[in-house]
Amino acid sequence: IFKLEILNILTRFKIFSRVKIFFCIVYSNISFLARLFNFRTFRWMQTMIFAVEKINRDSRLLPNITLGYKIYDSCSSPLHALRTAVELMGGREEESDGTECQGKVPVVIGDGGSTLSLVVAHFLGVFQLPQVSYFSSCACLSNKKAFPAFLRTMPSDFFQVNALAQLVQHFGWTWVGTVAGDDAYGRGGAQIFNDKVTKLGACIGLYEIIPKNHAPAEMARIVQRIGGSGTRVVLVFALEQDAKALFSEALKHNLTGVQWLASEAWITAAILTTPEFHSILQGSMGFAIRRAEIPSLQPFLLRLHPSSFPDDPFVLQFWEEVFRCSLQNGSKGVGSDALRPCNGSEDLASVKSIYSDVSQLRISYNVYKAVYAIAHALDAMLRCVPERGPFPGGACPDTLSIRPWQLLYYLKKVDFINELGEETKFDVNGDPVAMYDLINWQHLASGEVQYATVGRFDEIRIVLLFVVQVPVSVCSSSCPPGTRKAIRPSFPVCCFDCILCAAGEISNQTNAVECATCPPEFWSNLKRDACIPKLVEFLSYGDTMGMALLAVALLGSCATLVIGLVFACKRHTPLVRANNSELSFLILSSLWLCFLCALAFIGQPTAWSCQLRHTAFGIAFCLCLSCILGKTMVVLMAFKATLPGSNAMRWFRPPQLRAVIFLCTAVQVGICGAWLGLAPPFPRRLMTRESARIILLCDMGSTLAFSLVLGYIGLLAAVCFLLAFFARKLPDNFNEAKFITFSMLIFCAVWIAFVPAYVSSPGKYTVAVEVFAILASSYGLLLCIFAPKCYVILLRPEKNTKKHLMGNSMTEKRF
């Protein structure tokens, strides 16, 4: 492949005595691919000629001025392009026969490619000679320190890449591949794109460079890398010939299912719209510079004929390529490749070609704007009013000898609206206003490719005009609400695992980085995407445990009442009379209260229930143990008093026993009174971030007071146990001391086990343990003390006699 580049020159001179200024515009970029003529770039050249002739006919713009042009070939070689620029600067350019252009070149239009423009712009910038490019988009050319004289009508790749990055963000692509051409255009644009999408949170799944020689092994490796990367969206930032080489290799490897993103260099390239590429390029998307319609351009393009331009080598070759004929006397080629001779009757309008297709005027429009920008700069220069000029002392430029730096000044100030209604101007970097069309390749039923405009970009944001179906391209699927992203070690940030939020934490958005902790009174739901109020937990009557404890308590209280009823009915029998019925009824009453006070521990804690449950429990048990203590003392002293000369029983008569019971109970009442007065129990909500429940419980208020209540009960129980233990072997046919000993043993065992169980039990189970201890100890006292008596009273009435009770005893004692 070789590429013929054309540079545009602008010069002027006088003819006769009337001022007629001729300028030569140097234009670039016409390409040939082997034997195939590049009709697209030839159209660009003809568009330049069309703009020049249109300006020359315009009586308002540059009156009495004629623009001329010369075409130079840079041969797609930086060295050749630089040599041409040196010749232009030295004024030694070869004059064509009959040319009217003289003098040095004050402005250059070109080069088309960014790589060649970089070389030429470095050189021309030293001399402040303005250079206007229509197709060089490398963002590096916006550096005015390196390229002070460079301007362009082609937007910088910075804007195109910004639009592509926004497109990636809009469609939610986070795993993107980048393939770039091995030149300033490809490498520069791809690097900016990679940086931008990385800042937006996406990741680059692969980054490859297309070699200029299109080595088959390297191209195959790149295609295999694309197929194995897992990315379904790949940006190809390259010139059309490099893109074609990549897609040709992709066809060989049957690489499908990839959404190709195109740079503006190939998104409207005709060489890729052939049917062979339909299978892989269907749906390709990219930004192209804004399309325009140039009035009267098509008739101008169709004016060409070899007879009208016999000395133009481009026209002759163009004609032969269009009609596949030879203008020479003999046919070209050999055998089947021989071309028929042209007869001159061929009609250019009858042939459908890229050259005459004006439906996609994009780069051609840039050429058109470049010529008009120069014309308006010259017009402003010629209209300069002496002493009001922009140069020192109000000087105006010398129109008889235009200095390039003066023309550059006016070019930078250009700001006009053309006949198409579009504003043309350059910013401080020499760049035009960036406006792009978002193009989507859609294949028609006829087999042709339609460049459908589905959106627009205007330097700031993308506006989609139609809904576009695109694939999903992510390294990892989005984490749904309720989960968070966990980065995989040694992988890019876009590759992650989704981990369910911990209990008590939520995430209510997709791809959450962290889970948020719920407020203290709330807990996460099962999906971990919302905080819901925590369940309030307490030992309620509706719980299975609460109902069971309630049933046991009611059963105990009923059993106590039944035993009391039995004792009341049999109060005149020897067994009841021998056990001091007054103390027995008092013990039964206190046990009944113990069973009932267990009910205060069930249900939602309130201020009064918290105060009642502990004080009632402490006083009821203290009363019960005080009565048992009195009974035990009577049993013990009854047998001790049988010794000769003993009068101890006078201290254990009913009044004295009542006083002992009252005093023992009064101590507990005093402790509970002080407790209620100084630091009473109160309901408290226990909320921990580790629990899904709010535990509603009674705070003791004073741990010391609670400990004193339990300690005093424990003291009374210990004293009862010791006294009963000493009296367990006293001679009697029905020794009640043994049963009291067993009851106290059970009582002490229950409450000793209660302490560690109470401390270690969580939530409502703490209250359940306390209720269980109350019920267990109450049942222990009830059954051990009264069950044997009821057995005898109800089932063995023959033993309920004085004779049986006396047995072999020495004496009868009534208790």
Side-chain angles (χ1 to χ4, degrees), residues 135 137 154 157 160 185 262-268 287-289 436:
F135 202 24
S137 59
M154 177 74 181
D157 285 337
Q160 180 191 181
Y185 169 75
S263 63
E264 42 74 28
W266 67 268
I267 186 60
T268 56
F287 288 95
I289 57 176
Y436 294 95

Side-chain angles (χ1 to χ4, degrees), residues 520-583:
E521 295 186 1
F522 291 84
W523 192 252
S524 56
N525 58 1
L526 292 178
K527 293 183 179 180
R528 303 288 199 271
D529 59 358
C531 289
I532 58 177
K534 287 183 177 180
L535 294 176
V536 178
E537 182 180 82
F538 56 89
L539 187 62
S540 68
Y541 294 104
D543 292 343
T544 302
M545 185 181 300
M547 288 189 291
L549 293 175
L550 175 63
V552 173
L554 292 177
L555 180 62
S557 62
C558 291
T560 304
L561 292 176
V562 170
I563 292 173
L565 182 61
V566 170
F567 269 60
C569 294
K570 302 295 183 178
R571 63 184 180 278
H572 300 297
T573 61
L575 181 58
V576 176
R577 292 177 62 193
N579 281 274
N580 194 330
S581 59
E582 182 180 348
L583 286 179

Side-chain angles (χ1 to χ4, degrees), residues 163-368:
L164 288 168
Q166 287 190 34
L167 192 68
V168 169
Q169 184 183 35
H170 174 80
F171 288 119
W173 295 322
T174 59
W175 194 239
V176 183
T178 307
V179 180
D182 190 12
D183 48 37
Y185 169 75
R187 287 181 178 271
Q191 189 58 53
I192 297 174
F193 174 80
N194 291 348
D195 293 341
K196 279 191 171 292
V197 296
T198 301
K199 291 180 181 179
L200 293 175
C203 296
I204 303 301
L206 75 139
Y207 178 37
E208 296 291 339
I209 302 296
I210 301 174
K212 276 300 178 187
N213 60 358
H214 300 161
E218 183 64 13
M219 298 303 294
R221 186 194 67 79
I222 293 174
V223 171
Q224 291 174 356
R225 177 81 192 284
I226 294 173
S229 66
T231 177
R232 299 191 62 193
V233 175
V234 178
L235 168 67
V236 180
F237 211 97
L239 299 176
E240 58 186 70
Q241 56 266 31
D242 294 330
K244 182 179 180 182
L246 175 67
F247 297 138
S248 297
E249 191 67 30
L251 279 174
K252 295 179 183 178
H253 289 78
N254 194 26
L255 179 63
T256 58
V258 176
Q259 172 70 58
W260 299 101
L261 290 185
S263 63
E264 42 74 28
W266 67 268
I267 186 60
T268 56
I271 61 174
L272 295 174
T273 60
T274 55
E276 61 177 313
F277 294 111
H278 286 185
S279 60
I280 63 173
L281 294 182
Q282 164 74 9
S284 295
M285 193 180 304
F287 288 95
I289 57 176
R290 190 65 57 85
R291 184 180 68 86
E293 295 181 1
I294 304 177
S296 305
L297 176 61
Q298 190 173 43
F300 182 84
L301 297 176
L302 297 176
R303 85 195 189 289
L304 294 182
H305 194 277
S307 60
S308 303
F309 302 91
D311 299 326
D312 191 329
F314 297 137
V315 173
L316 299 180
Q317 187 174 1
F318 164 73
W319 199 264
E320 291 181 341
E321 289 293 335
V322 169
F323 295 103
R324 305 301 299 164
C325 64
S326 174
L327 290 169
Q328 308 298 326
N329 293 331
S331 298
K332 291 183 179 180
V334 179
S336 60
D337 293 333
L339 300 178
R340 62 178 178 82
C342 300
N343 56 22
S345 63
E346 296 85 6
D347 184 9
L348 194 58
S350 64
V351 179
K352 184 178 181 180
S353 68
I354 301 171
Y355 168 75
S356 58
D357 182 10
V358 294
S359 63
Q360 296 292 328
L361 295 180
R362 301 179 190 275
I363 307 303
S364 300
Y365 184 48
N366 280 353
V367 174
Y368 185 82

Side-chain angles (χ1 to χ4, degrees), residues 15 56 64 66 122 154 171 280 309 320 341 376 433 511 538 559 563 662 665 715 774:
I15 183 169
N56 287 339
N64 298 325
T66 301
H122 270 297
M154 177 74 181
F171 288 119
I280 63 173
F309 302 91
E320 291 181 341
H376 277 273
V433 177
N511 286 334
F538 56 89
I563 292 173
F662 175 77
T665 306
L715 176 63
I774 293 172

